[in-house]
Amino acid sequence: MPISDPGIVPAAKGRTRYRPGLDAPHEDAADDHTFFANTTRERWVRYFIGCLTLLFGLSGVLMAPSGIYYGGVPVFVLIGSLTAIPVAIAWFVRPWPSPPLANAFVLYADVSIVAILFSSVDSFVPLTGCMMFTIVGVFTVIASSSRVMWTHLAVSVATVLTLGVLAVRQGTNPWLVSATAVTVATLYLTPLMMRTYLRYLRSRASGAVIDSLTGLYNRRGLLEAIDGVNDAYADTTTDRTIGVTVLDVDRFKDINDRFGHPTGDAVLIDIASRLVSAVPETSVVSRLSGDEFVIVHIGSAEQIASSDHRIRVGLDESYSGPPYTASVGSASEFLAGEPVTPAVVRKLIALADIEMYRSKSRLSEDDGRSRGSTTGTRADVRTRIEGLISAGGPDVVFQPICDTVTREVVGYEALSRFPFGYGSPTMWFRDATNAGIGPLLEVAAIDRALAASESLPAGTFLSLNASANTIRSTDLPTKLRPFQKDRQFHLEITEHERVDDYRAVTRSIESLRAVGIFISVDDVGAGFAGLRQVVELRPDTLKVDYALVHGIDTDPVRRAAAASVIEFAHEIGSRVIMEGIETEAELRVAVELGADMVQGFLTGRPGASTRTGHRKRRAT
């Protein structure tokens, strides 16, 4: 399959099939079904259950001529016992049943046992037969859900109690009945103990094959999961292809060094979530090492190409955390009827790895040229961006900014959306700056946002981003004036670009303030200038960066830093927006610290008409 250039994404926000950071291994039928269906052990377990079913039937048949049933040898008891034969044969010849069929088997077994037990004239004799419920209970633990297990145990206990009461009424010694009933009922604890032990074994097993951070398979789990992939496509012999996609986070160490390891972990969890969402259930998604992910797909060549494309598109979506990029490589091989083997997977991983690092090298070379004097590369970038500007600029969506206490929407921030294939908004604006047309792209984004702002609710403000260079070189007051009669505007000065001439920027800002435009400093807590930008520009609003907000409910250092920023802002008469709010706990901290407004996925994602969540640099 063709290999495309590396996907580049901004950052941070798992088959069993785990959801990253959310799911522990399940205790219910789906996991047991997957476990037995994907191992050679399932055949021997089926044989064992089939033999038990035959023995149940044999027990009923042997009881029939004993004379304890109404009418001597009731035909329906004999017929009911003989039904165990086809059921047992089904266990021998069919694969492990689906959860609905397993539940049907439990129902069949319970109804059959109850019917035979209550057919006896003497209610005491069948009490010992209630032990058969224990075997069925064990089956519910490994093949059915907790609800079915508890329902089965309730039926079992009710049957023992009912037979005991009937036996006492028939004149059987109450002490003997009680002792027998207690002995039988004690056996019903076996499924409960087994369930607890299986949960312990699952946690041990999953720890060996599952990455604890993302919930994806680890290196060992990836190779073991290949059996499941083979089973899923066992009947497919035509156009059967295996595809492997390898992903590596660029400069991941820089993320950990700059934002801290919790933020680096959030990046990995976000990537895992995107990968799981992008591929079919039958694909195997794994994290092989710190920042390397591998996805294995089986299907037709078209399906493999489609899955690989969805992965790249998914990675181009952005998150409300610090920007990151990722490089992607792919490789595939036609299998026909041959099974997938670890050797094939390892070979394709190696080939995809080579392609990924070639792409990563091309990206580094292009990045270096765009910063240097190679006019050809700069010209290509300039032509691409000028083409986008002439076509109307980037698309735009709006993310709500809400009152911290009431959660009422009080404003919106404009977010840029760029064509897929050249990276995140951060990369587009950086390329434009390196090509010498940064202000042109920013102004195009502003124009697009202003045109689209007519759809926003009245009474809400609109926040636009602009670099210091754009503020100095563009007559923004004239551009914004026609729209000011309908709403208030906040101009965010991003802190990710160094301000070299504060005096010139301050003069431009004063002209903006003179016509009623509010000034906001973006990304306080992450950037070049620190608090100097706040001191020099005297903003009306400060935005506390995601790096301080993410995990603030559990990190006392982040909480203390954010509290200091908020106290400082209020001291100088500025309002505070905490951005990147994603959980109720983070919102509670924002309320406790006195933040005026909040912005993030918890209180509102960008408009539903476009993709959500792009990160800095956003629509200016």
Side-chain angles (χ1 to χ4, degrees), residues 154-201:
V155 171
S156 305
V157 172
T159 302
V160 170
L161 293 177
T162 303
L163 288 173
V165 171
L166 293 176
V168 172
R169 288 183 177 180
Q170 291 175 351
T172 307
N173 187 313
W175 294 107
L176 178 60
V177 172
S178 299
T180 304
V182 169
T183 300
V184 172
T186 301
L187 293 176
Y188 296 163
L189 296 176
T190 301
L192 297 178
M193 292 186 293
M194 183 177 178
R195 181 172 180 266
T196 301
Y197 185 60
L198 283 180
R199 185 189 305 174
Y200 166 74
L201 291 179

Side-chain angles (χ1 to χ4, degrees), residues 542-600:
L542 274 68
K543 296 189 75 172
V544 180
D545 186 70
Y546 171 90
L548 292 184
V549 175
H550 178 65
I552 194 172
D553 54 305
T554 59
D555 189 338
V557 175
R558 280 181 165 81
R559 183 182 179 116
S564 299
V565 171
I566 293 173
E567 182 179 359
F568 171 73
H570 290 166
E571 184 71 22
I572 64 174
S574 299
R575 297 199 297 169
V576 175
I577 300 173
M578 289 181 66
E579 63 176 345
I581 296 290
E582 297 177 354
T583 67
E584 292 287 349
E586 290 172 350
L587 179 60
R588 284 195 298 272
V589 174
V591 174
E592 293 168 3
L593 297 182
D596 302 281
M597 292 168 280
V598 290
Q599 179 181 353

Side-chain angles (χ1 to χ4, degrees), residues 408-550:
E408 177 185 2
V409 177
V410 295
Y412 292 86
E413 181 178 5
L415 313 178
S416 285
R417 294 293 185 268
F418 291 88
F420 170 72
Y422 293 93
S424 67
T426 302
M427 301 295 290
W428 277 85
F429 284 109
R430 190 196 69 182
D431 287 347
T433 299
N434 292 334
I437 54 173
L440 292 179
L441 182 58
E442 291 184 358
V443 169
I446 289 175
D447 289 338
R448 194 69 178 265
L450 291 174
S453 66
E454 297 179 359
S455 62
L456 299 179
T460 57
F461 68 82
L462 177 60
S463 184
L464 305 166
N465 285 349
S467 66
N469 191 23
T470 298
I471 292 174
R472 289 196 305 266
S473 62
T474 306
D475 186 4
L476 291 178
T478 300
K479 185 175 291 292
L480 297 179
R481 187 175 298 117
F483 299 90
Q484 285 185 273
K485 63 180 183 299
D486 297 320
R487 72 179 68 256
Q488 186 183 93
F489 287 91
H490 289 211
L491 191 65
E492 292 187 20
I493 305 173
T494 179
E495 211 180 338
H496 282 297
E497 283 201 0
R498 185 185 302 276
V499 178
D500 297 316
D501 188 351
Y502 278 106
R503 185 171 301 177
V505 174
T506 301
R507 287 196 297 267
S508 299
I509 285 176
E510 290 307 318
S511 66
L512 291 167
R513 280 202 173 100
V515 295
I517 297 171
F518 292 84
I519 303 302
S520 176
V521 169
D522 200 6
D523 300 331
V524 174
F528 291 114
L531 289 179
R532 184 187 174 190
Q533 195 159 334
V534 177
V535 172
E536 296 284 355
L537 304 181
R538 310 293 173 91
D540 303 288
T541 305
L542 274 68
K543 296 189 75 172
V544 180
D545 186 70
Y546 171 90
L548 292 184
V549 175
H550 178 65

Side-chain angles (χ1 to χ4, degrees), residues 248-311:
D248 181 83
V249 183
D250 301 320
R251 294 177 286 275
F252 184 65
K253 183 178 183 298
D254 293 346
I255 297 175
N256 283 329
D257 291 345
R258 179 176 180 184
F259 298 102
H261 287 279
T263 298
D265 290 346
V267 170
L268 298 176
I269 292 172
D270 176 52
I271 292 175
S273 178
R274 295 170 192 263
L275 296 178
V276 169
S277 299
V279 298
E281 290 285 341
T282 50
S283 297
V284 179
V285 184
S286 63
R287 177 189 174 204
L288 290 201
S289 61
D291 60 347
E292 183 179 10
F293 297 81
V294 171
I295 307 92
V296 179
H297 334 263
I298 299 290
S300 67
E302 291 76 14
Q303 291 170 333
I304 300 303
S306 176
S307 293
D308 186 70
H309 177 71
R310 286 196 302 271
I311 288 173

